[in-house]
Amino acid sequence: MNEHNRLIDDKLEDIINKRQQELSEGGLESNDLLSLLVEANNQEKGILTKQELKSNAAIFALAGHETTSTLLQWITYELAKHPEIQEKARMEVDKVLENGRKPNYDDYGNLNYINAIIAETLRYHPPVAVVVKNAKKDVQIV
């Protein structure tokens, strides 16, 4: 394992151990994807190994980073092509985030136009066009 991979592996190990400790002490402080994965794995009595947890966490991080980056690039492109939409978005941000304050999670639901821009950009330029899955074995759905 090279130095970079070892660094990532060690960091993920630390984070997973912290989440497992929080869980054993009565509850998770975080409500992120990794916390949910660790909690679900705990409820299923360790169906995933530590290495599988780390692998899934790394995939989520990389996939989330790439798709978010691609989305932001397309949004920037589309807003540059449509200055009137850019201005309307800016006005909404100024209205919701009065006095130039920093946004927080609670603001998300109030940014309707921004959310519409995101949804429309995803419709026009999906970061992942096709996801093909193949079943490893036959399953009967009841």
Side-chain angles (χ1 to χ4, degrees):
M1 181 181 295
N2 70 34
E3 182 181 343
H4 293 43
N5 288 344
R6 186 172 290 109
L7 178 69
I8 293 169
D9 191 71
D10 291 346
K11 187 63 178 172
L12 284 171
E13 178 96 20
D14 292 343
I15 295 168
I16 289 169
N17 287 341
K18 181 180 180 221
R19 298 297 196 281
Q20 288 173 328
Q21 182 179 351
E22 288 173 8
L23 192 58
S24 70
E25 292 173 354
L28 291 166
E29 293 179 19
S30 303
N31 192 20
D32 55 28
L33 190 56
L34 180 57
S35 297
L36 296 173
L37 184 63
V38 168
E39 185 174 24
N41 193 50
N42 186 58
Q43 290 172 353
E44 294 295 324
K45 311 236 184 309
I47 195 168
L48 298 175
T49 66
K50 182 77 67 104
Q51 188 57 44
E52 289 170 327
L53 282 171
K54 287 190 285 188
S55 177
N56 280 307
I59 289 169
F60 288 140
L62 291 173
H65 177 269
E66 181 65 26
T67 54
T68 301
S69 172
T70 301
L71 170 63
L72 291 173
Q73 290 172 33
W74 279 117
I75 288 173
T76 303
Y77 172 75
E78 290 295 343
L79 288 176
K81 283 182 23 183
H82 303 280
E84 70 285 359
I85 294 173
Q86 184 180 119
E87 182 57 31
K88 191 171 176 182
R90 182 179 294 115
M91 288 172 31
E92 181 181 64
V93 169
D94 289 343
K95 179 181 174 188
V96 173
L97 305 177
E98 295 173 344
N99 302 320
R101 72 174 174 80
K102 292 184 178 181
N104 61 51
Y105 181 78
D106 295 330
D107 294 320
Y108 180 76
N110 297 322
L111 295 168
N112 297 319
Y113 196 68
I114 299 291
N115 286 317
I117 290 170
I118 293 169
E120 189 67 0
T121 303
L122 285 168
R123 188 177 76 81
Y124 266 82
H125 309 286
V128 180
V130 177
V131 176
V132 178
K133 295 182 179 183
N134 293 316
K136 289 186 176 183
K137 61 180 180 180
D138 290 338
V139 206
Q140 182 177 5
I141 299 175
V142 187

